[in-house]
Amino acid sequence: MPAPLVYPVATMPQPCSFRVAIIGGGPAGLMAAEVLGQAGVNVDLYDAMPSVGRKFLLAGVGGMNITHAEDYAAFVSRYAERAGDLRPLLDAFTPDALREWIHGLGIDTFVGSSGRVFPTDMKAAPLLRAWLKRLRENGVRIHTRQRWLGWSERGALRLAGPEGESLMEADATLLALGGGSWARLGSDGAWVPLLQNRGIAIAPLQPANCGFEVAGWSEYLREKFAGAPLKTVSLALPGEAPRKGEFVLTATGIEGSLVYALSAPIRNTINRDGAATVLLDLLPDRTLTQIASALARPRGSQSMAKHLHRQLKLDGVKAALLRELTDAATFQDSQALAAAIKALPIRLVRPRPLDEAISSAGGVPFEELDEGLMLRRLPGVFCAGEMLDWEAPTGGYLLTACFASGRAAAAGMLRWLRDNVPANAPR
């Protein structure tokens, strides 16, 4: 791994007269606020919700997966086609650096068996409390129930709160408004037309780390097996290496960690072809030959359901799905049935709605930004977090990139303020 790129995050005099606005109180916005506050900048952070970090807290339900401990080159590769754009940001704030930052808040971490990194108590709330305490000590002012409405004719920020609309003039602005998933937590994508109206190209927001729908399960499968987990299986798009794990059968299709890991190529295939077929291996630990041999054994008067259970321990939701997706002739041919068990085709026709997705793809393309994450068409306006056009699987990758982009944007703001705004300008 190359030496990390060091951003000069404390190049301002302390205190200084620069005033910045941050719109959005998620991980990217809060991280930028910390860097700017420590540099002596006057920071006002605005969030539309009654409190900040709501999606961050939701991500911690069931265990706060903060980052991943795998080899760094492999880690960066998880960002796929945007790995090159995110690499400088991640080099400056690596997963190891993120862990050290968490430790500085008094929160210990550990690496789980899968390589995922968690706070020792597995909770997000203590981390957020310690972080907000640090921000307050750095002079960051947090304003909740303030929805950003764009800019006034004179370029001031328009903010709508309980007492009506107000205007805020800032030397620089960071937009960290999230993507389009989980609107009830603040990530509603309402910023898209505000930037498009200023000539900023936006890649359409799409579901990422999401479930998918089939054309329709049978009533029997829906009623009896919706919500049932399929464990120790593998899934693949045709021609690609299978991934092993588990997922859940839903009333409309499939979802769960194994599906999320493939959600980007599945979604892209549906966008291109109108549908995507994934191949499900119900018994990945057995070869096709072993399965065919077991099925070829005499079953006498036993039903095929009992034969599958006795010979392969294949029953429950796996057996029901096998029956759902094969015809009667296949069940009479042990070779054909073995092939179906190893590569059961599931045709997916659409992703679940964006608001249900764990995260979203699309947003502000990196091509619209300079190296400091400032919009080229709007000098002094920066972007960070999930509203940028990148995506990653679950496993700590999403949060790490949000943190890293928030720090990078703050560093870009400091450089821009130093070079473009007179320190003694009236405010």
Side-chain angles (χ1 to χ4, degrees):
M1 183 182 76
L5 174 64
V6 178
Y7 285 105
V9 296
T11 58
M12 296 295 177
Q14 302 236 1
C16 72
S17 59
F18 295 112
R19 186 181 185 188
V20 304
I22 297 174
I23 312 297
L30 294 175
M31 183 59 81
E34 178 177 331
V35 172
L36 292 164
Q38 288 176 345
V41 175
N42 297 299
V43 180
D44 287 279
L45 184 148
Y46 300 89
D47 195 277
M49 304 305 290
S51 58
V52 298
R54 291 204 161 194
K55 192 174 179 183
F56 179 74
L57 291 174
L58 179 69
V61 174
M64 178 80 259
N65 178 199
I66 202 77
T67 189
H68 204 287
E70 69 181 335
D71 173 77
Y72 184 65
F75 183 96
V76 174
S77 73
R78 306 302 181 190
Y79 299 94
E81 64 270 14
R82 286 302 189 183
D85 298 295
L86 287 168
R87 178 67 186 256
L89 284 58
L90 296 167
D91 284 351
F93 197 58
T94 64
D96 287 342
L98 174 54
R99 292 185 70 184
E100 288 302 313
W101 174 80
I102 295 171
H103 298 162
L105 289 171
I107 307 293
D108 291 330
T109 60
F110 73 95
V111 180
S113 58
S114 65
R116 299 185 180 203
V117 177
F118 303 88
T120 301
D121 63 3
M122 300 289 286
K123 298 178 180 178
L127 192 161
L128 183 59
R129 284 197 298 269
W131 195 5
L132 293 177
K133 179 176 182 293
R134 177 185 286 179
L135 293 176
R136 287 192 295 269
E137 291 171 348
N138 289 337
V140 174
R141 295 175 293 274
I142 296 177
H143 313 270
T144 56
R145 302 180 190 274
Q146 297 291 319
R147 178 170 290 277
W148 179 59
L149 301 178
W151 293 272
S152 70
E153 292 183 359
R154 297 183 58 183
L157 297 167
R158 297 175 55 208
L159 297 157
E163 298 180 0
E165 184 175 329
S166 62
L167 299 177
M168 192 273 184
E169 294 186 0
D171 295 313
T173 300
L174 171 65
L175 303 178
L177 289 154
S181 62
W182 292 90
R184 66 183 179 85
L185 301 177
S187 296
D188 57 9
W191 53 268
V192 171
L194 299 178
L195 290 186
Q196 288 177 327
N197 290 341
R198 290 294 182 116
I200 308 301
I202 304 294
L205 297 179
Q206 301 182 84
N209 293 296
C210 59
F212 291 87
E213 298 181 7
V214 298
W217 295 131
S218 67
E219 183 178 351
Y220 170 79
L221 196 70
R222 286 197 311 272
E223 291 185 356
K224 190 168 180 63
F225 292 103
L230 286 103
K231 298 184 177 182
T232 318
V233 296
S234 71
L235 207 60
L237 284 161
E240 298 188 5
R243 290 174 180 258
K244 191 174 178 181
E246 61 182 74
F247 66 92
V248 175
L249 191 77
T250 70
T252 59
I254 58 176
E255 67 177 27
S257 59
L258 186 53
V259 177
Y260 302 156
L262 294 171
S263 64
I266 292 173
R267 184 196 66 233
N268 293 341
T269 301
I270 292 174
N271 288 345
R272 185 188 68 229
D273 301 334
T277 298
V278 291
L279 301 177
L280 170 63
D281 186 342
L282 293 167
L283 298 173
D285 295 330
R286 296 203 189 193
T287 67
L288 176 62
T289 300
Q290 290 172 333
I291 294 172
S293 177
L295 291 176
R297 292 173 188 146
R299 62 185 175 98
S301 61
Q302 285 184 337
S303 67
M304 179 55 75
K306 289 185 177 180
H307 192 55
L308 286 168
H309 171 72
R310 180 182 292 272
Q311 298 299 330
L312 299 172
K313 306 299 182 187
L314 191 66
D315 50 20
V317 63
K318 288 186 177 181
L321 195 56
L322 180 64
R323 179 69 75 173
E324 176 90 1
L325 297 174
T326 54
D327 56 24
T330 299
F331 264 74
Q332 301 304 315
D333 184 332
S334 61
Q335 289 290 339
L337 187 57
I341 290 171
K342 292 298 291 180
L344 190 64
I346 304 177
R347 187 173 183 270
L348 305 172
V349 296
R350 68 184 68 87
R352 290 293 297 167
L354 175 59
D355 196 45
E356 294 181 13
I358 292 175
S359 59
S360 58
V364 179
F366 282 86
E367 292 76 14
E368 291 282 347
L369 305 165
D370 69 8
E371 64 279 2
L373 301 186
M374 184 177 75
L375 288 165
R376 299 179 189 276
R377 298 173 187 267
L378 296 176
V381 180
F382 297 73
C383 297
E386 199 181 334
M387 69 181 293
L388 302 182
D389 181 18
W390 60 275
E391 62 181 306
T394 58
Y397 308 103
L398 294 164
L399 277 176
T400 302
C402 285
F403 285 125
S405 67
R407 287 183 68 88
M413 295 175 81
L414 290 174
R415 291 193 295 270
W416 188 83
L417 289 166
R418 178 194 63 205
D419 296 340
N420 294 274
V421 181
N424 58 355
R427 290 169 177 81

